[in-house]
Amino acid sequence: MVPGIGAASSAAERMVEGARSSVVEVSVGRRGGGAGVIWPVDALVLTNDHVVSAGRGGRGWRRGRRSSGPRVTLRDGRAFDAEVLKRDGRLDLALLRLKDAPADLSPAAVGASGALRVGELVFAVGHPWGRPGVATVGIVSGLAGERGWTRHIMSDVSLAPGNSGGPLLNASGEVVGINAMVSGGFAFSVPSDVASAWVSGFRTGRPRLGVGVVPAGVRGDAGLAVALVKAGGPADRAGIIVGDVLLGTEDGASFGGAGALFEALARAGETARLRVLRGGEEILVSVDLEASGPERAA
């Protein structure tokens, strides 16, 4: 074996093995289910909405007489009943909380889907046809926001029944998508930035800046360019303007995607201190946050 290829193969093997500890099986009643990811927010489990909709009419977890609620099985075989905290059929996401959850869960590392590029190597982990922890590999074929597929990452990883809700991983083992469906021979995954933002919003009154952002493509593809500012909102009051680039937080965290921004706001408390690039100069801006209801701006 060529030494370079052998080293890369060993690195991928270690990466996949490490990632498998955060991948769970999700089932509803006696029906086959899918996969899920232990998310690094309160040790919750993220999966697809259609995975927990296993009963008649897609509402099995709500109708206990026809099928029981979701049950989550960890990599080591321990199984726990779970409750559905939140679900979204449009995004095909569902958020679960384990009942009597153990303290030794292994949350996944979540990456920035906005940093993906077409041709990049990605891996899928799931339980196709009931075989636990199966991994497949492919490349990114198309990205969310490009013409033709506005809401999903498109790749050629191999998926089958039982993969739904499992992670799409980058070469570093970070979750960059939640595998959702197959169409035309391609796999489609919900971007991790979308999933992170959705998970962060499961608590009511989530803080927002009052801005609309797009990937900036600066400083190693990190940063979010401000495309709109809501008049009178927190960002407007702090002096953030259209054209600013939100680089990250004062503590050094970077905004590789909208999900990272939402996570930072959720952790910030009442005030967020943000690194902002304006006119080629980096400045520090303090933003007094406020809780708000659902809206499109961050």
Side-chain angles (χ1 to χ4, degrees):
M1 180 180 292
V2 179
I5 295 177
S9 178
S10 296
E13 179 183 350
R14 291 192 298 271
M15 179 276 291
V16 170
E17 183 58 30
R20 291 168 81 187
S21 63
S22 64
V23 181
V24 302
E25 294 182 69
V26 180
S27 58
V28 179
R30 295 182 179 180
R31 299 189 46 154
V37 179
I38 301 174
W39 209 251
V41 176
D42 299 333
L44 303 176
V45 170
L46 187 63
T47 185
N48 288 141
D49 177 67
H50 75 261
V51 169
V52 299
S53 301
R56 292 188 179 181
R59 301 182 185 275
W61 66 272
R62 288 182 176 175
R63 298 179 180 178
R65 296 188 182 187
R66 292 197 177 272
S67 63
S68 60
R71 191 162 177 81
V72 172
T73 303
L74 306 182
R75 174 79 192 282
D76 61 11
R78 288 177 294 168
F80 301 86
D81 291 331
E83 60 178 324
V84 179
L85 296 179
K86 178 181 178 182
R87 60 189 297 192
D88 188 316
R90 184 182 65 86
L91 292 177
D92 197 11
L93 293 174
L95 191 63
L96 313 181
R97 174 182 286 147
L98 303 189
K99 298 178 181 179
D100 301 319
D104 60 346
L105 293 176
S106 301
V110 179
S113 57
L116 286 174
R117 295 293 179 264
V118 172
E120 186 171 341
L121 203 64
V122 285
F123 301 78
V125 179
H127 318 298
W129 308 112
R131 298 173 64 92
V134 172
T136 60
V137 64
I139 63 169
V140 175
S141 306
L143 295 169
E146 293 186 339
R147 181 179 301 178
W149 44 90
T150 58
R151 283 164 35 192
H152 292 89
I153 299 164
M154 180 181 180
S155 70
D156 66 352
V157 295
S158 178
L159 299 183
N163 275 111
S164 293
L168 184 73
L169 307 168
N170 62 18
S172 298
E174 298 172 324
V175 178
V176 290
I178 300 297
N179 297 321
M181 61 181 176
V182 176
S183 179
F186 290 97
F188 289 82
S189 309
V190 181
S192 61
D193 291 348
V194 172
S196 293
W198 186 79
V199 170
S200 295
F202 86 91
R203 302 180 182 88
T204 58
R206 161 165 78 90
R208 295 181 183 270
L209 282 179
V211 297
V213 295
V214 296
V218 300
R219 299 195 178 185
D221 297 320
L224 300 169
V226 177
L228 64 88
V229 178
K230 182 179 179 181
D236 187 32
R237 295 195 301 269
I240 292 176
I241 60 176
V242 171
D244 283 349
V245 177
L246 308 181
L247 297 174
T249 56
E250 182 183 26
D251 62 8
S254 298
F255 296 152
L261 172 59
F262 284 123
E263 291 289 339
L265 296 182
R267 295 191 304 265
E270 296 182 354
T271 302
R273 292 178 60 79
L274 306 178
R275 293 180 292 112
V276 176
L277 187 65
R278 179 182 296 166
E281 180 181 355
E282 184 175 319
I283 60 176
L284 193 63
V285 177
S286 294
V287 184
D288 292 329
L289 302 173
E290 61 184 22
S292 61
E295 59 181 70
R296 284 192 176 274

